[in-house]
Amino acid sequence: MKAARSTQLGLGIARFFEDYLPGQRGMSPHTVRSYRDAVVLLLQFMSQDTHRHVEQLQIADLTAERTVKFLKFLETDRHNGISTRNSRLGAVHVFARFLAAEWPEHLGSLQRVINIRFKRGARDAPIEYLEGVEMQAMLKSIDRTRPAGQRDYALFALMFNTGARVQEVLNLRRRDVRLDAPCQVRLFGKGNKIRLCPLWPATTKLLRDLIEQQRSSDPDPANALLFTNARGLQLSRFGVRYLLRKYVAIASRTATTLRDKRIHPHSLRHGTAVALLKSGVDFATISQWMGHASLNTTMRYARADIDLKRQALSQVFPEALAPPRGGRLMIHGAELIPWLRRL
């Protein structure tokens, strides 16, 4: 059987992900995976649109017209929002620029792809987060008599304690956790930035118990992953989402407010930020705790919680939230203007 020859597109994809993104651009593994997801979707769409196998696709198949059809497919068939659509387009732009630099004979057609504009109108979706009582209900729904339940309980408790991104937690190894005073965990965030987060005593005990009951095949125990599946492999983000949805569904029987929320692993991170704000922690500390690149990212949590809005309103207009005073309103008297000002 005749071996298939590598196409320019295939060679370009290999160089793009193996050398260009991690080596020349210095992008983190999380960002590389995001670009990978976008390119996989693009290749699958191009394959369907050209009626050819993915390995038969050429650089010439990546046209501006087909890319616009791909973006429309994301919005109509996959029901992606404008922000997701723009994020995928950004990855396509970077990929097209790389191909144009490697194979300049395709520069003209690839420039048309690069010139496709981002769509305006993207709005920040409301932040869905877990309140304290909702988090407690979710944790109580976990069966801790089973080893998997002990792992899940420690996983979600650690995510809420640190406000870490799900992949940051899944990448943790035993050497990244300090269980002696001062108890803390070392997280590797976006842009390969490292930050230390303190651990609550309850979280420390959960992690210590988890490590003691784990069996690792790694010759170096300190290098063993902290959270693994039944086969001893690293848990995936999709696995964590599945587990969270399962426990939230159980918890919603008692915590009815969960029924109207779309909870995902990042919701635990949002819940941590809001809980810190409610406790009076300043924005700069929260920004460092969460690993935010800018204070503007942290500030949005102040707009997400209704209790914080009430507190701010009561400080500026204390009478606005006070119960109305008794008595009869004098419509034609001197009480009208003061009453209107208090509205």
Side-chain angles (χ1 to χ4, degrees):
M1 188 174 180
K2 189 177 181 180
R5 295 178 58 185
S6 297
T7 63
Q8 288 181 336
L9 182 61
L11 293 173
I13 291 174
R15 295 179 194 172
F16 184 69
F17 286 105
E18 292 178 357
D19 176 59
Y20 180 71
L21 291 182
Q24 299 183 37
R25 294 288 298 273
M27 292 185 174
S28 68
H30 180 79
T31 305
V32 173
R33 281 190 290 267
S34 176
Y35 277 65
R36 174 205 62 191
D37 294 342
V39 172
V40 167
L41 287 172
L42 176 64
L43 291 176
Q44 291 174 342
F45 177 81
M46 289 171 59
S47 175
Q48 294 176 0
D49 195 54
T50 59
H51 305 288
R52 296 203 305 272
H53 295 294
V54 171
E55 60 270 19
Q56 297 174 330
L57 295 174
Q58 302 287 340
I59 294 179
D61 295 322
L62 180 56
T63 63
E65 293 77 14
R66 186 164 286 125
T67 304
V68 171
K69 289 173 63 177
F70 167 68
L71 297 173
K72 187 176 181 180
F73 159 78
L74 293 178
E75 294 187 86
T76 57
D77 290 38
R78 293 183 61 86
H79 306 290
N80 291 157
I82 296 178
S83 59
T84 303
R85 178 255 192 207
N86 289 342
S87 176
R88 303 299 191 200
L89 177 58
V92 174
H93 281 170
V94 176
F95 183 51
R97 288 191 182 95
F98 169 79
L99 292 177
E102 293 287 315
W103 289 277
E105 63 268 25
H106 297 284
L107 180 60
S109 60
L110 291 173
Q111 276 184 332
R112 296 184 60 211
V113 175
I114 297 169
N115 289 334
I116 297 175
R117 296 179 178 273
F118 293 105
K119 192 172 184 177
R120 299 182 61 180
R123 298 180 180 179
D124 292 333
I127 296 177
E128 294 283 13
Y129 62 93
L130 289 171
E131 298 279 3
V133 291
E134 295 171 340
M135 185 67 190
Q136 292 177 5
M138 191 273 290
L139 290 175
K140 287 181 180 178
S141 68
I142 302 176
D143 182 8
R144 299 173 63 186
T145 61
R146 301 179 300 106
Q150 296 177 15
R151 177 205 63 193
D152 298 344
Y153 195 97
L155 170 67
F156 293 125
L158 178 62
M159 290 178 65
F160 188 72
N161 181 160
T162 61
R165 302 173 181 90
V166 61
Q167 196 62 49
E168 293 174 351
V169 172
L170 295 180
N171 289 340
L172 285 176
R173 299 181 183 272
R174 294 182 185 179
R175 64 169 178 263
D176 299 319
V177 180
R178 177 182 176 133
L179 300 179
D180 299 321
C183 302
Q184 59 191 24
V185 60
R186 179 175 55 189
L187 298 169
F188 295 84
K190 288 184 176 181
N192 296 321
K193 295 179 181 178
I194 300 176
R195 68 184 189 279
L196 299 176
C197 281
L199 295 176
W200 300 327
T203 309
T204 303
K205 184 179 184 307
L206 289 172
L207 294 178
R208 183 179 288 112
D209 294 343
L210 177 67
I211 293 175
E212 288 177 354
Q213 62 97 17
Q214 277 181 338
R215 295 179 181 178
S216 174
S217 59
D218 198 303
D220 182 9
N223 194 51
L225 287 166
L226 203 56
F227 298 103
T228 58
N229 57 23
R231 299 188 301 275
L233 303 176
Q234 185 183 37
L235 272 177
S236 67
R237 292 177 293 132
F238 305 102
V240 174
R241 177 180 294 183
Y242 166 79
L243 292 171
L244 181 61
R245 286 180 175 177
K246 180 178 73 171
Y247 295 128
V248 166
I250 299 173
S252 63
R253 300 170 189 170
T254 54
T256 56
T257 53
L258 286 172
R259 299 173 184 174
D260 299 326
K261 290 185 176 182
R262 295 181 60 185
I263 300 299
H264 46 82
H266 217 67
S267 301
L268 275 68
R269 177 173 168 83
H270 296 328
T272 303
V274 174
L276 290 172
L277 270 177
K278 286 185 174 182
S279 300
V281 181
D282 62 274
F283 285 104
T285 302
I286 297 175
S287 181
Q288 293 296 320
W289 187 303
M290 306 293 291
H292 288 156
S294 169
L295 271 177
N296 292 332
T297 307
T298 313
M299 292 288 289
R300 64 179 180 155
Y301 292 109
R303 302 190 296 268
D305 185 69
I306 189 65
D307 292 335
L308 293 172
K309 294 177 182 177
R310 288 196 183 101
Q311 182 181 356
L313 185 63
S314 63
Q315 291 175 354
V316 180
F317 303 107
E319 294 185 3
L321 297 180
R325 293 184 297 176
R328 183 165 58 91
L329 176 64
M330 298 172 61
I331 299 298
H332 300 289
E335 293 288 332
L336 179 58
I337 298 302
W339 176 80
L340 288 174
R341 287 176 175 168
R342 290 197 301 270
L343 288 180

